[in-house]
Amino acid sequence: MISLREMAPLKSLEREFAIIDSNFQQFCASHGLFSVGDFLIQDLCVLVALAEQHPTSERLKEGITQVLSIIDSQHQPWFNGMDLLEDAQQNKHILSTGCERIDMFLQGGLREGHVTELVGPSSSYKTQVCLQVASNVAKMGGVVFLDTGNSFSPKRIAQFLISDPAGKESDRKIIQKVLASIVCFSVFDIFTLLDVLHQLKSNLKYQTCGQVRLLIVDSISSLITPVLGGSGSHGHALMISAGSFLKRLAHEHNLAVLVTNHMVGGEGGVLKPALGESWKSIPHVRLQLSREHGSNLCSMCILTHPYMGSGKAVKFSIS
Amino acid sequence: MDMEVWRLRISATQRGKLISAGYTSLSSLSSVSPSDLARDLQISENDASEILKAASHCGRLDNSDQSHAIVTGAQTAWDMLHEEDLSRRITTSCADLDNILGGGINCKEVTEIGGVPGIGKTQFGIQLAVNVQIPVDFGGLGGKAIYIDTEGSFMVERALQIAESCVEDMLEYQEFVRKKFQACQVQMQPKDFLKNIFYFRVCSYTEQIAVINYLEKFISEHKDVKVVIVDSVTFHFRQDFDDMALRTRLLSGLALKLMKLAKNCSLAVVLLNQVTTKYSDGSFHLTLALGDSWSHACTNRVILYWNGNERYAYIDKSPSLRSASAPYSVTGKGIRGSASNSKRIKMT
């Protein structure tokens, strides 16, 4: 039964394209081609020559052309620079973080379409910045907060809102309105995260009112660390697929994505961001937070930014 | 093309077989029968139907656009705020500490309590195991406790002592209340408190992981468990560990399981941890054991320390509470307010 083995993907095309019939599939299988992908690494001239020796050479060659055109149709449409600029200016807004100094530092705040990472040791205010940004963005749009450490605190968000110069009477109404536009979901493993992200993707297509502007994952590293390392590249691949999916969500649905990452001891006891080298390329913006022990003063330093130099830092405090 | 099969909760080997057979998308799995898949992957038909089950689970999630929720099962912050207002906290028996904790130890959160040996970590553990049982009429949770002991430091005589004091306090409170309102009866005896502490002794890190894996099932059979205390969470991970990467993986997995337990079962998880010294910036600092990646494993962290002859508790990390410290003391009755502060407490 070797001829039938591993033929699923070509077989799955049978219904749609009559030319990819069982005869064609058998011909392909006999030359080690089982999936559309296998055609990409095949010397096509050799394949056509082999097909010509067959009694049904015409149909076979037609089949090959069909598969190649299926491959061709896989590419995405192209854009020119002006299209991209227009998309950036019209759809990728900058969201204020609610902290004036951070906004000034980041030239306005968090960019829709970007994945921004906050990295820092324990209690360096990563979650505090997340909650602050959530409270501010929720005033004008939806926020989805994925919580891995049971640290999402609606009470804390309400505190951020009350410190606003607003009338006492209207406080409660504002708080209700803002808190109602933040949804929180607890995620305790990477598979649930992937499920939620896919679900978000399909739901964002249909959303009309109360548009989601911000997605927070606090913390992404605690989901990835348990699967990373050890033997095999399994965990590594999960990490990359989660990371690239976040980037895609951010770009296609004009979301600002904010994730947090912790730090681990590197060489000589110097702290470095967790998740290693290959995660490094995922976030568009990486910001390192640090806090002096026992003080409210916190500093934010740019590690990576698409158009700002790294190493710049700002001090801020969170009330 | 998306490699959607990464999302499936299946073994890495089976995922590899799927990909090399060309089944990379969920749609490629949507119309295949278990027997075909079993043949193509050369696996048993049982395994094949497991894979298909996992795939259809993901497929269902993706097509849930009929529901109004953006993420099925997510809660708005507004609803969560109301829930939090209704939830009761476990008192520490020290009024000052309860104050800075916003009323006590919170359910649905993981709280780490760390400090040097002899500062009273185990005392806190036992006190919380008793206090979680204070009946609802007396402002408690009326729950039960799970005590996971890794070092053998749980002392049952001490637990009895603390339980007796707790009953005394309740009787006193009852006297006080009876004069004003209707009587609420103290029906719990010290022995009842001991019966409601489920004790697990753990002698290695594999046993520790096993017992934490088992907790979900255990709690589903004992739904009134409201606190899980691990004393101490790090002991077995501090010795005999050569492969530090493996240790990090195991610990971070453990942390997520405890987080999940706290959230899904609405209970408080309290982790007791030791302190080590760490050299940085030219001086030695006290830090909690197990290092930087473990420090993310808790929602709140309370550090116990000596200030002269007095014991203090300090909130080192919390998403909702301000950093603050409060004095406490360890008395014959258990954890109580600081002796020098006790007059003030009585007056208020």
Side-chain angles (χ1 to χ4, degrees):
Chain A
M1 291 300 282
I2 189 76
S3 63
L4 275 169
R5 212 186 103 227
E6 295 178 344
M7 234 200 298
L10 283 181
K11 196 163 61 189
S12 65
L13 297 170
E14 195 174 349
R15 245 182 300 169
E16 217 177 320
F17 307 97
I19 194 74
I20 304 177
D21 54 11
S22 61
N23 177 43
F24 179 75
Q25 289 170 35
Q26 240 159 41
F27 164 74
C28 291
S30 64
H31 294 101
L33 301 169
F34 302 105
S35 67
V36 175
D38 288 339
F39 276 78
L40 292 172
I41 47 166
Q42 182 71 26
D43 187 334
L44 292 171
C45 297
V46 174
L47 194 66
V48 171
L50 287 167
E52 273 167 357
Q53 294 164 11
H54 258 261
T56 55
S57 63
E58 282 312 307
R59 275 191 71 79
L60 288 182
K61 280 197 277 184
E62 247 179 88
I64 294 171
T65 317
Q66 182 62 64
V67 172
L68 292 180
S69 79
I70 290 171
I71 292 174
D72 282 350
S73 69
Q74 293 286 313
H75 75 77
Q76 301 273 335
W78 58 273
F79 299 96
N80 66 26
M82 281 311 289
D83 296 334
L84 293 177
L85 187 65
E86 205 176 317
D87 176 54
Q89 286 173 345
Q90 284 192 347
N91 302 321
K92 310 287 195 281
H93 304 103
I94 291 178
L95 304 177
S96 161
T97 61
C99 172
E100 210 174 312
R101 297 196 61 131
I102 297 180
D103 282 353
M104 292 240 294
F105 181 61
L106 296 177
Q107 301 181 0
L110 303 182
R111 184 73 178 268
E112 287 176 347
H114 277 179
V115 173
T116 304
E117 179 180 84
L118 297 174
V119 49
S122 174
S123 73
S124 60
Y125 277 178
K126 296 188 296 295
T127 299
Q128 294 299 318
V129 172
C130 288
L131 294 174
Q132 163 107 60
V133 176
S135 76
N136 200 51
V137 172
K139 290 173 190 162
M140 52 188 178
V143 175
V144 176
F145 196 110
L146 302 180
D147 182 15
T148 70
N150 301 353
S151 41
F152 177 78
S153 168
K155 215 170 241 174
R156 186 75 181 102
I157 290 180
Q159 281 173 10
F160 284 126
L161 295 167
I162 294 171
S163 63
D164 271 18
K168 286 270 174 212
E169 292 287 308
S170 53
D171 266 2
R172 208 182 143 75
K173 271 194 171 159
I174 292 172
I175 290 172
Q176 176 170 7
K177 185 177 164 289
V178 171
L179 289 190
S181 45
I182 304 176
V183 295
C184 174
F185 189 70
S186 289
V187 180
F188 300 111
D189 63 78
I190 183 98
F191 296 108
T192 310
L193 177 74
L194 290 169
D195 282 349
V196 169
L197 295 181
H198 277 85
Q199 203 184 48
L200 257 182
K201 185 173 154 54
S202 69
N203 287 344
L204 286 173
K205 266 187 282 186
Y206 300 103
Q207 70 169 355
T208 45
C209 55
Q211 204 204 354
V212 175
R213 312 283 300 264
L214 173 68
L215 168 67
I216 297 175
V217 187
D218 181 26
S219 77
I220 189 93
S221 51
S222 62
L223 295 179
I224 293 173
T225 322
V227 297
L228 208 56
S231 59
S233 57
H234 175 65
H236 188 262
L238 276 170
M239 170 175 85
I240 297 304
S241 77
S244 52
F245 201 85
L246 282 173
K247 281 176 103 161
R248 196 172 148 193
L249 264 184
H251 178 73
E252 289 178 6
H253 299 281
N254 304 321
L255 289 180
V257 174
L258 183 63
V259 302
T260 62
N261 187 1
H262 65 255
M263 297 189 92
V264 291
E267 278 167 46
V270 182
L271 290 180
K272 58 171 192 181
L275 304 183
E277 286 297 306
S278 37
W279 175 261
K280 229 171 156 178
S281 62
I282 298 283
H284 297 93
V285 181
R286 294 191 106 180
L287 304 167
Q288 184 175 333
L289 295 179
S290 56
R291 179 164 73 107
E292 278 169 47
H293 194 75
S295 96
N296 270 345
L297 207 60
C298 187
S299 95
M300 178 183 273
C301 172
I302 294 180
L303 295 182
T304 313
H305 196 284
Y307 45 82
M308 286 166 68
S310 60
K312 279 205 261 178
V314 68
K315 286 206 186 305
F316 66 94
S317 66
I318 282 185
S319 53
Chain B
M1 259 307 222
D2 245 352
M3 285 291 232
E4 286 176 315
V5 290
W6 280 112
R7 293 173 55 195
L8 303 181
R9 286 166 208 254
I10 55 178
S11 77
T13 340
Q14 293 189 337
R15 196 190 319 277
K17 284 182 179 168
L18 275 177
I19 291 171
S20 60
Y23 292 99
T24 54
S25 67
L26 289 181
S27 59
S28 70
L29 287 168
S30 64
S31 56
V32 64
S33 74
S35 56
D36 282 351
L37 190 68
R39 191 192 53 226
D40 289 348
L41 268 58
Q42 295 187 312
I43 57 175
S44 77
E45 209 159 305
N46 260 349
D47 290 349
S49 39
E50 284 301 312
I51 293 178
L52 291 177
K53 219 193 275 171
S56 77
H57 168 75
C58 287
R60 263 202 312 281
L61 285 176
D62 293 355
N63 297 320
S64 61
D65 51 68
Q66 282 85 5
S67 71
H68 294 286
I70 189 95
V71 175
T72 316
Q75 256 187 318
T76 73
W78 181 246
D79 293 341
M80 287 172 80
L81 185 68
H82 280 279
E83 236 172 59
E84 201 181 315
D85 285 344
L86 294 174
S87 83
R88 282 168 186 267
R89 288 164 182 255
I90 307 168
T91 174
T92 59
S93 294
C94 168
D96 286 349
L97 182 54
D98 280 354
N99 264 340
I100 63 170
L101 285 171
I105 303 289
N106 208 4
C107 291
K108 293 192 181 181
E109 288 176 3
V110 175
T111 303
E112 183 174 35
I113 300 177
V116 293
I119 192 77
K121 295 187 296 294
T122 299
Q123 301 293 327
F124 264 104
I126 297 173
Q127 186 75 58
L128 291 172
V130 168
N131 287 359
V132 74
Q133 303 179 42
I134 297 173
V136 176
D137 288 345
F138 291 84
L141 280 79
K144 291 178 181 174
I146 290 177
Y147 204 101
I148 299 172
D149 188 1
T150 65
E151 301 183 37
S153 47
F154 183 84
M155 292 157 289
V156 69
E157 293 88 354
R158 181 68 176 140
L160 183 64
Q161 221 175 13
I162 288 176
E164 280 165 354
S165 309
C166 184
V167 172
E168 274 168 32
D169 285 355
M170 285 197 295
L171 286 168
E172 202 176 298
Y173 176 79
Q174 181 186 317
E175 281 303 308
F176 169 74
V177 169
R178 189 178 283 161
K179 287 169 192 158
K180 290 182 182 170
F181 312 105
Q182 84 282 27
C184 42
Q185 282 290 324
V186 177
Q187 281 162 345
M188 283 187 83
Q189 297 299 314
K191 278 179 186 163
D192 298 326
F193 279 90
L194 294 189
K195 270 185 205 152
N196 290 338
I197 299 175
F198 305 116
Y199 175 83
F200 293 90
R201 178 78 171 94
V202 163
C203 296
S204 72
Y205 75 86
T206 34
E207 285 183 27
Q208 186 173 336
I209 291 170
V211 80
I212 284 167
N213 287 343
Y214 169 64
L215 283 185
E216 198 174 312
K217 181 166 180 286
F218 183 83
I219 291 168
S220 71
E221 290 157 5
H222 299 86
K223 287 205 165 52
D224 38 10
V225 168
K226 282 290 158 207
V227 69
V228 174
I229 296 148
V230 188
D231 177 14
S232 76
V233 70
T234 56
F235 181 72
H236 293 301
F237 288 91
R238 295 181 72 190
Q239 17 249 327
D240 308 328
F241 239 103
D242 298 328
D243 187 348
M244 295 309 264
L246 176 66
R247 190 179 89 162
T248 307
R249 287 178 69 189
L250 288 175
L251 278 170
S252 52
L254 196 76
L256 281 177
K257 274 173 204 155
L258 291 169
M259 286 285 176
K260 186 176 181 177
L261 206 64
K263 184 79 180 183
N264 293 354
C265 306
S266 293
L267 51 82
V269 172
V270 177
L271 309 176
L272 306 179
N273 194 0
Q274 287 140 336
V275 162
T276 52
T277 47
K278 185 185 173 186
Y279 184 80
S280 73
D281 301 332
S283 60
F284 284 98
H285 298 277
L286 286 183
T287 56
L288 294 182
L290 286 189
D292 300 303
S293 43
W294 174 258
S295 61
H296 298 268
C298 58
T299 317
N300 309 297
R301 187 182 311 116
V302 176
I303 292 182
L304 309 178
Y305 64 99
W306 288 103
N307 183 5
N309 282 329
E310 256 190 314
R311 297 167 208 254
Y312 273 78
Y314 170 74
I315 299 178
D316 182 55
K317 166 186 168 173
S318 163
S320 54
L321 305 166
R322 284 172 197 286
S323 294
S325 52
Y328 71 94
S329 59
V330 178
T331 70
K333 293 174 146 196
I335 302 288
R336 289 295 183 268
S338 158
S340 55
N341 274 20
S342 57
K343 274 182 191 151
R344 187 166 61 80
I345 291 166
K346 268 182 187 160
M347 279 164 66
T348 51

